[in-house]
Amino acid sequence: MINPDTTYHVMGLTRYVDDRDFPSRGLHCVVFFSPLARGKIRNLDISAARKVPGVAFILTAKDIPGENQIGGIIQDELLLAEDEVTFAGMPVAAVYAWTEEAAREAVGFIKIDIAEETPVLNPREAYNRNELIAPVRSFTLGDVKEGIASAVYVAKGEAESGAQEHFYLEGQGTVATPSEEGNLHLASSTQAPTMVQRCVARVCGLAMNRVEVDVRRLGGGFGGKEIQANTWACFAALGAQKSGVPCRMVLRRSDDMRATGKRHPYSSDFTLALDEEGKFLAFKVIYYQNAGAAADLSTSVLERTLFHATASYYVPNVHATAASCRTNIPPNTAFRGFGAPQAMFVFEAAIREASRISGICVETLQRKNLIKTGDCFVYGMAAENARAERCWDKAYAHYDLEKRMRVIDDARRKEKHSSGQVSRYGRGYALMPICFGISFTTIFLNQARAHIHVYTDGSVGVSTGAVEMGQGVNHKIREIVADSLGITPERVKLESTNTIRVSNTSPTAASSGTDLNGAAALMACEMIKERLFKFMADQYQCVWQDFSLRDSRLYREEKACGLGWEDLVMQAYHSRVQLSAEAHYSTPDLHFDTSVEKGRPFAYHTYGTAYFEAEVDRLLGTYTIEKAYVVHDLGRSINPLIDLGQVEGGMVQGIGWVTMEEMRYSEAGRPLTATAGTYKLPDISSAPLDMKVKFLEDAHNDRAVKGSKAVGEPPFMYGIGAFFAIKMAAGSENASYCCAPITPERLFMELRAGV
Ligand code: MTE
Ligand code: HPA
Ligand code: MOS
């Protein structure tokens, strides 16, 4: 069945937070942001703003009834500035008015006097000043010194990757409605309803049981609403709490872009050592992560970077060090891939440099070193059921890559030999293998609950902790439930995600929404089925295991019993059989010991290989991605159409990150690209002209629900291949300094400089 959400989206019938009916007797919140990146607040004057007609009240830090603290992992982030500002876009005051226009007008009358200080924008500079979010972490395997000492080739270089704006189509927002008893109901656009509940409870000085968070769906999250939805939910909640009327806080695009965090930019130094044949012997790396002004999820993102330090490859000796560096830009946050893309980019750059100095072709180095079953990752876990080589080889065979690459190689060779004249157009290719660990690296988050009601007419309602954000988790769970109960998906309804129905939810993140919540839903179905079958076994005088449900009918030992689903349910109800169930799932066999940085942090890994071809106009620096051919390991897909959408969408988002998306700040730390007009997003015309995705066959996965594999994030990292295909096409093979994104502007400069 096709995901019915898509029909609603296309018809414009889908309703997001700001599409809800909002009462005219409700307040609108608009935030006054710090215009400067760093400094002490000398004076804040809200008197003129207060007088603007329609303004109800203005809140500053001292008006917060609970704690002025919204830090998640580390308690270092204020909701409203107190005596200093640490980034341009930091909330300083919140204006509440009866119309959004009045609130916005009032914001214009707020005056702030800041003793400006020079901001730190570069993570290496922050590191040198010891501006660290947390102590530096290192992962080691084997002996790197020895590995490098015994090497024939040692490639060294630097790689930099940039920020990325989430650009969810629905901006951040929450509508808060108070009740008579002073409790709060929040309709929020968040990936983490429980985080919003906890954060709002803390800021408003309420117990968590007095804050209900309801999430119908998001118009995209991509990690940007894993923790950063909290801020805006708090503003809505504070307004509703103080006024006793509903309060709406929805960011307009430009405010969303300048006030929220992005993907973390990284600057890294690498050393990759190889033997004569091109076997990797040692990898040494240090990552300088640009965390922004507060911790947010940075330490967790950094941890995933370390986990993915060697990308899809086996390296016996590794020393990977990572520093989360505090700078004066908005706190950076989760973004699809969660630190792993940054790590994989560095490793792929290192391979290009290793190829250049050794003369061994890139694909030989890649293929030779792909991780195999039993090989150890830097964190001490051995790869189980590794499918890196299978995906790689399948891509070669299925897309006839050998031949494709030879055509391009021949053309390039001819060009080299012809009178030194470089042609205007150049073509290049790159393969990009991926290997991504599935599970939250924060182990306690790997749990979920599902609550299922079977109603007396046979229809089914399902509540879980999963948040639908366009990735199709609701529909996947619908299909899991329908299949388990042997009914059509149309009979199953996915309810909103609500903290009253399902409590203590983990964020829908780490690609594990279906793995966790789908597994819990399946368990709840099994519980209900067992009760129904036991009830029938009494009547048939047999064992309950003889029964099954299929085609909306009851079967006993593969023979239809002549009883339909509806009748079965009704009979069970009249016999007082419980028709609801709640189940709890927690991923087995996960452990990690941070004192030695070793363990088994992931349930399993997802693999795949992408092949890219690009053409570059060497005169203008412009390019097109001509081909993207993928072989992807999905396990046994629950819904291939949804998964295809995730693979294609993720890959294009990854291409955007390394090619055209560029977040720039002025020297004073002010964002220069905080509008849709100045920030270039990938659109349909920047997607590869020819995109093919093949799912690996015969790829059952024992470690996730129904043999499937998580799909949300891994395909993002294919995009990195586009960068290297463009580099090759441009003829700039020196990879001792790789800088993404390779915007046409940067490529033009590189071509002029002859890099
Ligand atoms: N797909 C769409 N359409 N919209 C999104 O916001 N988020 C991505 C991915 N795919 C996202 C998406 C991210 S960052 C993650 S972690 C996963 O979906 C989360 O959902 P899942 O765990 O159900 O795959
Ligand atoms: N991915 C996404 N979000 C997270 C993770 C992770 O691994 N760990 C904690 N939050
Ligand atoms: Mo995704 S970055 O784990 O929300």
Side-chain angles (χ1 to χ4, degrees):
M1 178 188 172
I2 287 181
N3 184 357
D5 279 12
T6 48
T7 317
Y8 292 119
H9 294 339
V10 170
M11 293 173 72
L13 297 173
T14 316
R15 289 174 58 157
Y16 300 97
V17 166
D18 208 24
D19 297 321
R20 299 163 61 95
D21 296 326
F22 189 73
S24 53
R25 243 192 79 70
L27 287 174
H28 301 256
C29 177
V30 175
V31 169
F32 171 75
F33 298 108
S34 169
L36 302 181
R38 187 172 175 200
K40 298 271 177 304
I41 300 177
R42 277 195 290 241
N43 189 42
L44 178 69
D45 179 5
I46 56 171
S47 53
R50 233 189 228 132
K51 292 193 194 112
V52 171
V55 169
F57 50 87
I58 298 174
L59 300 183
T60 58
K62 62 180 185 332
D63 305 313
I64 292 174
E67 287 177 59
N68 182 25
Q69 178 54 247
I70 58 167
I73 301 172
I74 297 172
Q75 309 312 309
D76 70 344
E77 191 175 354
L78 302 178
L79 177 66
L80 285 166
E82 289 175 357
D83 40 38
E84 58 169 10
V85 294
T86 54
F87 63 93
M90 182 176 189
V92 178
V95 178
Y96 296 86
W98 299 105
T99 62
E100 186 179 337
E101 291 69 28
R104 208 170 288 288
E105 190 188 341
V107 161
F109 283 98
I110 293 179
K111 288 189 206 74
I112 191 164
D113 179 15
I114 298 171
E116 191 171 6
E117 293 161 25
T118 312
V120 177
L121 303 173
N122 183 297
R124 288 182 191 252
E125 187 190 336
Y127 179 84
N128 290 336
R129 293 174 181 224
N130 206 25
E131 284 285 348
L132 296 177
I133 297 284
V136 168
R137 271 178 88 173
S138 287
F139 281 22
T140 48
L141 183 72
D143 186 334
V144 155
K145 260 199 194 130
E146 211 165 275
I148 295 176
S150 64
V152 177
Y153 305 108
V154 179
K156 283 176 189 259
E158 188 181 329
E160 293 198 56
S161 59
Q164 188 175 26
E165 157 66 31
H166 299 83
F167 222 104
Y168 22 67
L169 288 182
E170 178 201 21
Q172 301 269 7
T174 290
V175 171
T177 310
S179 71
E180 296 167 342
E181 305 83 24
N183 301 329
L184 293 171
H185 174 282
L186 276 71
S188 180
S189 185
T190 175
Q191 290 174 241
T194 295
M195 287 238 243
V196 165
Q197 181 189 24
R198 193 185 299 127
C199 193
V200 164
R202 184 178 187 189
V203 168
C204 292
L206 296 171
M208 278 174 80
N209 66 0
R210 298 184 62 185
V211 181
E212 172 185 357
V213 180
D214 188 85
V215 185
R216 178 66 266 186
R217 64 168 64 73
L218 321 187
F222 305 110
K225 297 169 182 169
E226 183 171 336
I227 188 168
Q228 298 216 345
N230 293 5
T231 313
W232 322 107
C234 285
F235 285 125
L238 285 170
Q241 187 186 30
K242 185 172 164 76
S243 66
V245 300
C247 181
R248 168 185 165 274
M249 164 85 248
V250 177
L251 286 182
R252 63 172 175 184
R253 180 65 61 184
S254 53
D255 286 346
D256 197 315
M257 288 183 77
R258 71 177 159 135
T260 64
K262 321 277 168 237
R263 179 185 297 286
H264 296 78
Y266 275 57
S267 183
S268 314
D269 296 323
F270 64 77
T271 305
L272 179 60
L274 5 164
D275 73 7
E276 183 73 52
E277 266 77 56
K279 265 270 180 205
F280 298 156
L281 293 177
F283 182 59
K284 202 168 125 186
V285 62
I286 172 157
Y287 305 106
Y288 300 94
Q289 178 198 52
N290 188 339
D296 195 278
L297 296 171
S298 297
T299 50
S300 192
V301 169
L302 195 72
E303 187 178 47
R304 194 174 268 279
T305 303
L306 286 166
F307 283 126
H308 291 81
T310 58
S312 306
Y313 308 97
Y314 171 61
V315 188
N317 304 294
V318 183
H319 186 79
T321 304
S324 184
C325 311
R326 193 182 295 111
T327 59
N328 297 109
I329 60 174
N332 287 318
T333 194
F335 199 138
R336 208 169 194 169
F338 208 74
Q342 290 93 326
M344 291 197 192
F345 178 72
V346 177
F347 204 91
E348 293 297 328
I351 293 179
R352 269 62 191 188
E353 182 59 6
S355 166
R356 188 180 69 89
I357 63 162
S358 69
I360 306 172
C361 92
V362 172
E363 294 69 42
T364 307
L365 291 178
Q366 289 175 309
R367 176 65 182 80
K368 203 186 263 290
N369 293 286
L370 286 175
I371 193 144
K372 295 187 192 56
T373 300
D375 285 346
C376 198
F377 289 101
V378 59
Y379 42 93
M381 177 178 174
E384 296 165 9
N385 251 311
R387 292 171 179 160
E389 294 182 322
R390 258 184 82 193
C391 291
W392 178 281
D393 293 343
K394 186 77 201 171
Y396 262 70
H398 189 72
Y399 299 118
D400 207 359
L401 296 188
E402 207 62 81
K403 208 162 112 196
R404 299 206 140 279
M405 293 188 286
R406 205 172 319 127
V407 173
I408 295 178
D409 285 340
D410 287 346
R412 292 166 62 81
R413 212 169 294 124
K414 259 188 222 138
E415 200 185 323
K416 261 192 191 150
H417 290 294
S418 67
S419 68
Q421 185 75 6
V422 180
S423 68
R424 175 167 171 184
Y425 299 96
R427 294 179 70 212
Y429 54 80
L431 275 114
M432 180 66 205
I434 59 152
C435 167
F436 189 80
I438 302 295
S439 289
F440 281 98
T441 53
T442 307
I443 288 183
F444 71 81
L445 292 176
N446 294 290
Q447 56 171 313
R449 278 154 298 282
H451 208 116
I452 296 191
H453 296 314
V454 176
Y455 294 98
T456 50
D457 65 352
S459 64
V460 176
V462 182
S463 288
T464 74
V467 169
E468 175 59 46
M469 57 187 113
Q471 87 280 39
V473 67
N474 275 0
H475 189 59
K476 283 187 174 180
I477 294 175
R478 177 187 290 127
E479 293 200 321
I480 289 170
V481 168
D483 184 63
S484 171
L485 299 178
I487 57 179
T488 58
E490 287 82 359
R491 305 235 63 181
V492 181
K493 172 169 173 253
L494 265 287
E495 308 294 354
S496 62
T497 314
N498 186 301
T499 52
I500 286 183
R501 267 179 275 115
V502 178
S503 63
N504 307 331
T505 58
S506 296
T508 298
S511 304
S512 59
T514 303
D515 281 19
L516 299 173
N517 296 279
L522 186 58
M523 286 166 75
C525 290
E526 298 297 331
M527 287 157 79
I528 292 170
K529 274 193 332 194
E530 186 176 326
R531 289 190 211 122
L532 290 172
F533 294 165
K534 283 185 170 156
F535 163 63
M536 277 290 128
D538 276 350
Q539 301 188 6
Y540 280 82
Q541 294 294 309
C542 63
V543 293
W544 67 272
Q545 286 88 347
D546 287 350
F547 291 101
S548 59
L549 281 163
R550 217 167 344 117
D551 316 324
S552 302
R553 281 184 299 181
L554 183 71
Y555 285 78
R556 183 180 162 209
E557 291 185 319
E558 301 309 311
K559 281 203 284 289
C561 305
L563 192 62
W565 165 253
E566 280 89 356
D567 293 334
L568 171 65
V569 166
M570 193 51 104
Q571 282 189 24
Y573 170 70
H574 283 139
S575 297
R576 296 183 288 172
V577 174
Q578 190 194 351
L579 291 173
S580 297
E582 190 189 49
H584 169 91
Y585 176 79
S586 69
T587 314
D589 306 327
L590 299 179
H591 54 89
F592 195 74
D593 180 352
T594 50
S595 69
V596 287
E597 307 286 23
K598 296 275 185 242
R600 187 178 194 288
F602 300 120
Y604 59 93
H605 292 81
T606 285
Y607 298 89
T609 292
Y611 169 79
F612 287 91
E613 279 180 18
E615 188 183 71
V616 165
D617 180 333
R618 291 169 180 157
L619 188 63
L620 300 179
T622 54
Y623 45 75
T624 41
I625 312 296
E626 298 187 312
K627 293 187 166 48
Y629 294 163
V630 177
V631 172
H632 188 76
D633 170 24
L634 275 178
R636 196 184 296 166
S637 175
I638 287 171
N639 186 307
L641 210 51
I642 289 176
D643 287 348
L644 178 64
Q646 286 292 298
V647 175
E648 292 181 344
M651 179 164 66
V652 171
Q653 203 170 31
I655 293 173
W657 172 54
V658 291
T659 61
M660 68 192 71
E661 294 183 55
E662 191 174 34
M663 192 68 206
R664 283 207 200 163
Y665 294 87
S666 72
E667 270 174 33
R670 257 167 287 180
L672 300 173
T673 48
T675 63
T678 48
Y679 184 85
K680 180 79 185 104
L681 276 175
D683 54 20
I684 194 64
S685 61
S686 38
L689 301 175
D690 177 12
M691 189 153 49
K692 294 194 172 89
V693 178
K694 170 148 185 69
F695 299 143
L696 195 69
E697 282 158 18
D698 190 20
H700 184 90
N701 173 33
D702 292 334
R703 293 212 172 253
V705 60
K706 301 186 76 180
S708 67
K709 279 196 177 187
V711 67
E713 292 167 287
F716 181 93
M717 279 145 278
Y718 288 136
I720 295 167
F723 177 94
F724 292 102
I726 291 168
K727 277 284 228 188
M728 178 179 175
S732 51
E733 257 124 322
N734 181 352
S736 63
Y737 178 70
C738 269
C739 184
I742 188 156
T743 57
E745 182 184 350
R746 181 168 289 131
L747 184 57
F748 178 85
M749 302 299 199
E750 281 187 17
L751 286 165
R752 290 292 92 59
V755 176

